[in-house]
């Protein structure tokens, strides 16, 4: 689980580890605020025991790559360009990163909240970290906080979230470390652009191939994978067999699994889970669990994957059921 320390406690904790307090005057910054500005803290933590994001970020060789992944993922999330969101500071705490984010536009912030609520931000972070760190997979979980308010609990109330973020004016400028990382990233982008232009200017006697001749057989594309108990498994959409096996074996803990899935699935908010419990109470636990996963599949489509269900089972302590879904113990039927 992500740390439950309040944002107010963060600076003291981090300063004790050698961080230096900021010196920018809040009064001086107020005069430079645009019409709409706000800030929030994004907590990012890997759910894999093999990946410690804070250690990777504190490693001088890995830090630029981690920053690049975070910057690209968050910039994409606003849909309004790179200048509508900026990173002011990145804190390290145990195995999680705490990103202090400044929003410079209400529409950019609204777009970010919508994408965050739909799981797009989390997926972008996973993808960018995976690509830049050259890892098979970087499963993560996130939380979004303003002060002591956890916006996870009120994401459906977009206007209220915007109000909290707008009220929390940023109290610092980007620190020197962030400024240096930003400059390094800009220099790298310029270098890549020059290399691209140089290649384009070179003469090529061969005519360009038609686009259709460059198509790649989807069967040759690498399949997504995930790590479970130090083993790699191919990820895939849930099948009817997965659906039925889960419903048969999960028992009374189906609600807990549903609440874990609701972190990235809006269709499984608490009222929905309680309604399913009430509507199918007479039909028993199997039908209640079956309807919950059906709701998940109908809402998420191909994104209702084995990895997401296995992660939810791990969150709720149902490791043995996850093993059976993955075929680790194929001879067990879970019957009591």
């Amino acid at each position: 689980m992500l740390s439950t320390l309040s944002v107010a406690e963060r600076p003291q904790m981090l300063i004790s580890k050698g961080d230096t307090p900021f010196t920018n005057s809040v009064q001086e910054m107020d005069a430079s605020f645009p019409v709409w500005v706000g800030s929030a803290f994004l907590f990012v933590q890997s759910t894999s025991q093999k990946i410690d994001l804070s250690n990777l970020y504190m490693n001088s060789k890995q830090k630029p790559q981690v920053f690049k992944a975070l910057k690209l993922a968050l910039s994409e999330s606003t849909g309004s360009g790179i200048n509508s969101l900026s990173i002011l500071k990145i804190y390290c705490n145990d195995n999680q990163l705490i990103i202090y984010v400044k929003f410079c536009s209400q529409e950019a912030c609204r777009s970010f909240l919508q994408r965050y609520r739909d799981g797009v931000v989390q997926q972008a972070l996973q993808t960018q970290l995976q690509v830049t760190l050259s890892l098979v997979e970087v499963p993560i979980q996130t939380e979004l906080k303003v002060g002591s308010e956890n916006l996870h609990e009120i994401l459906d109330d977009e206007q209220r979230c915007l109000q909290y973020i707008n009220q929390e004016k940023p109290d610092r400028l980007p620190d020197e470390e962030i400024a240096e990382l930003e400059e390094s990233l800009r220099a790298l982008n310029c270098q890549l652009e020059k290399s691209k232009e140089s290649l384009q200017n070179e003469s090529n006697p061969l005519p360009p191939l038609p686009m259709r001749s460059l198509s790649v057989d989807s069967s040759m594309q690498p399949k997504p994978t995930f790590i479970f108990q130090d083993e790699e498994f191919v990820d895939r959409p849930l099948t009817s067999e997965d659906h039925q096996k889960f419903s048969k074996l999960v028992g009374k803990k189906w609600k807990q699994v549903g609440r874990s899935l609701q972190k990235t699935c809006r269709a499984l908010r608490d009222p929905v889970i309680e309604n399913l419990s009430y509507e199918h109470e007479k039909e028993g636990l199997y039908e209640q669990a079956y309807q919950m996963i059906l709701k998940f599949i109908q809402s998420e489509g191909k994104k209702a994957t084995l990895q997401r269900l296995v992660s939810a089972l791990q969150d709720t302590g149902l490791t043995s059921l996850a093993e059976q879904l993955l075929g680790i113990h194929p001879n067990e039927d879970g019957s009591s």
Side-chain angles (χ1 to χ4, degrees):
M1 294 293 292
L2 292 175
S3 172
T4 55
L5 287 175
S6 69
V7 171
E9 295 172 308
R10 294 287 169 195
Q12 294 180 0
M13 173 191 67
L14 293 159
I15 290 170
S16 68
K17 290 187 177 183
D19 195 11
T20 55
F22 58 84
T23 57
N24 298 306
S25 167
V26 176
Q27 286 78 13
E28 291 175 359
M29 292 181 65
D30 282 340
S32 65
F33 283 148
V35 175
W36 197 100
V37 70
S39 67
F41 287 86
L42 178 64
F43 293 68
V44 182
Q45 176 178 331
S46 174
T47 57
S48 170
Q49 295 181 350
K50 291 185 174 183
I51 301 173
D52 188 326
L53 292 179
S54 60
N55 280 344
L56 288 172
Y57 185 75
M58 288 188 288
N59 184 307
S60 59
K61 294 182 179 179
Q62 297 280 12
K63 179 175 290 187
Q65 297 302 317
V66 177
F67 178 79
K68 177 183 177 182
L70 299 176
K71 180 72 175 179
L72 291 175
L74 294 181
S75 296
E76 292 171 3
S77 69
T78 63
S80 304
I82 196 169
N83 295 323
S84 57
L85 176 150
S86 59
I87 298 175
L88 301 181
K89 176 72 177 175
I90 298 178
Y91 301 95
C92 296
N93 176 41
D94 296 330
N95 65 338
Q96 69 181 187
L97 297 176
I98 308 167
I99 308 168
Y100 186 18
V101 179
K102 173 186 174 183
F103 295 95
C104 304
S105 158
Q106 181 172 346
E107 287 310 307
C109 186
R110 188 189 305 277
S111 177
F112 174 86
L113 287 170
Q114 292 170 353
R115 286 171 165 81
Y116 184 85
R117 181 185 60 204
D118 294 338
V120 176
V121 174
Q122 180 174 327
Q123 185 60 52
L125 287 166
Q126 290 181 168
T127 301
Q128 291 293 349
L129 286 168
Q130 177 180 333
V131 171
T132 57
L133 297 176
S134 300
L135 296 173
V136 174
E137 183 192 29
V138 187
I140 64 167
Q141 61 183 12
T142 60
E143 283 189 352
L144 186 64
K145 294 184 178 181
V146 173
S148 60
E149 187 70 35
N150 189 337
L151 301 189
H152 252 76
E153 301 170 1
I154 58 169
L155 284 173
D156 284 332
D157 192 342
E158 187 176 285
Q159 201 58 39
R160 188 177 171 195
C161 290
L162 285 169
Q163 183 179 1
Y164 277 121
I165 292 173
N166 182 228
Q167 288 175 347
E168 192 73 14
K169 302 299 183 186
D171 53 12
R172 66 176 303 143
L173 295 171
D175 64 4
E176 292 181 2
E177 179 182 72
I178 297 296
E180 290 174 1
L181 289 168
E182 294 270 15
E183 184 58 35
S184 297
L185 184 57
R186 281 193 291 269
L188 177 60
N189 289 337
C190 289
Q191 184 178 354
L192 292 174
E193 284 297 323
K194 289 180 180 179
S195 298
K196 183 179 178 181
E197 290 177 6
S198 177
L199 288 172
Q200 289 176 342
N201 291 332
E202 291 180 359
S203 60
N204 185 1
L206 296 176
L209 293 172
M211 289 301 294
R212 60 183 178 184
S213 66
L214 298 176
S215 61
V216 179
D217 186 350
S218 60
S219 64
M220 301 297 292
Q221 295 283 354
K223 296 181 179 180
T225 60
F226 64 97
I227 303 298
F228 176 80
Q229 294 184 351
D230 299 329
E231 292 186 45
E232 188 174 349
F233 295 88
V234 174
D235 195 17
R236 55 171 174 75
L238 292 174
T239 64
S240 58
E241 183 181 352
D242 300 326
H243 194 164
Q244 293 172 9
K245 184 177 288 188
F246 169 84
S247 305
K248 177 182 177 183
L249 301 178
V250 69
K252 295 180 180 179
K253 288 194 174 182
W254 72 269
K255 283 187 181 181
Q256 292 175 250
V257 179
R259 292 192 178 102
S260 179
L261 288 172
Q262 74 180 206
K263 295 174 185 176
T264 57
C265 178
R266 295 184 62 201
L268 291 178
R269 297 301 185 190
D270 281 335
V272 174
I273 292 176
E274 292 304 323
N275 286 341
L276 289 174
S277 176
Y278 176 76
E279 291 172 3
H280 302 282
E281 182 178 9
K282 294 181 180 179
E283 297 160 277
L285 294 174
Y286 175 91
E287 188 63 26
Q288 291 172 329
Y290 187 92
Q291 292 297 328
M292 186 271 289
I293 291 295
L294 180 61
K295 196 82 173 175
F296 176 56
I297 294 173
Q298 290 175 337
S299 171
E300 300 296 298
K302 292 182 179 180
K303 294 181 180 180
T305 62
L306 183 61
Q307 179 191 356
R308 292 176 70 182
L309 182 55
V310 167
S311 296
L313 291 171
Q314 285 182 289
D315 287 346
T316 50
L318 295 174
T319 304
S320 61
L321 178 49
E323 291 173 347
Q324 292 179 64
L325 286 176
L326 294 171
I328 297 177
H329 299 305
N331 295 327
E332 297 182 11
D333 61 2
S335 58
S336 56

